[in-house]
Amino acid sequence: MTTETSTYTARPIPPDALAELRVTDDAGRVPSPLTDDEGGAPLRCCLRHSRVGERITLVSYAPLRRWAAETGARPGPYDEQGPVFIHADECPGPEGDGLAFTNAHRVLRRYSADGHILGGELVEEGFGEREVRKAFDDPAVALVHVRAVEYGCFYYEIRRP
């Protein structure tokens, strides 16, 4: 995680959603936990990389669908689900509230209050407050997803402060 003080907070997958995903993921599959022999998997429950020996699982997660259920948005075809690593068992969540996984290029994907994609921007390794603020400069942006460049995987969401 970055150490800079930020107005914007990386929002991990919420505990209630994690509890559901550990039983059945958003694709309707039962997870298959494993012991991580290598470490380094990006965990979306606590926004850090896994450590050797931890029990983790790869689940399908639909972040926009869950946000839409909370807000009443109707993302239609913009609803998507994808793979994310989480701890197989309950974890304490992130240790801080700054931005996470800033150690590589990422895409900041912007969404409207309806859940429609408004665009995205490739940001450099070490991105922070300035890049996120720029993503929210458009008043139509209600939500930003931080995503992997190589596969488009969801890392976390950021909401307006």
Side-chain angles (χ1 to χ4, degrees), residues 4-33:
E4 83 180 53
T5 302
S6 179
T7 303
Y8 299 98
T9 299
R11 297 174 60 102
I13 298 175
D16 58 333
L18 289 166
E20 293 171 4
L21 292 168
R22 289 179 179 118
V23 175
T24 305
D25 72 11
D26 285 347
R29 290 185 288 267
V30 175
S32 298

Side-chain angles (χ1 to χ4, degrees), residues 13-78:
I13 298 175
D16 58 333
L18 289 166
E20 293 171 4
L21 292 168
R22 289 179 179 118
V23 175
T24 305
D25 72 11
D26 285 347
R29 290 185 288 267
V30 175
S32 298
L34 58 94
T35 299
D36 190 347
D37 293 331
E38 297 178 18
L43 298 166
R44 279 42 165 238
C45 48
C46 54
L47 302 181
R48 67 166 174 82
H49 289 99
S50 64
R51 298 178 186 116
V52 173
E54 287 186 305
R55 284 181 28 87
I56 64 172
T57 189
L58 184 63
V59 297
S60 185
Y61 179 58
L64 196 62
R65 181 181 313 157
R66 288 176 177 270
W67 174 79
E70 179 185 320
T71 64
R74 300 182 56 89
Y78 295 100

Side-chain angles (χ1 to χ4, degrees), residues 98-158:
L99 301 177
F101 302 118
T102 61
N103 60 327
H105 289 77
R106 301 286 179 227
V107 170
L108 301 183
R109 188 183 296 169
R110 301 179 311 269
Y111 292 90
S112 70
D114 292 332
H116 297 181
I117 296 174
L118 295 175
E121 182 176 351
L122 177 67
V123 294
E124 300 289 325
E125 178 179 345
F127 73 91
E129 175 89 9
R130 181 181 49 139
E131 291 82 3
V132 175
R133 189 178 321 109
K134 181 179 175 191
F136 282 109
D137 277 351
D138 179 349
V141 173
L143 179 72
V144 171
H145 282 180
V146 175
R147 291 182 171 261
V149 173
E150 60 276 29
Y151 299 109
C153 297
F154 171 85
Y155 275 96
Y156 55 90
E157 72 179 41
I158 304 169

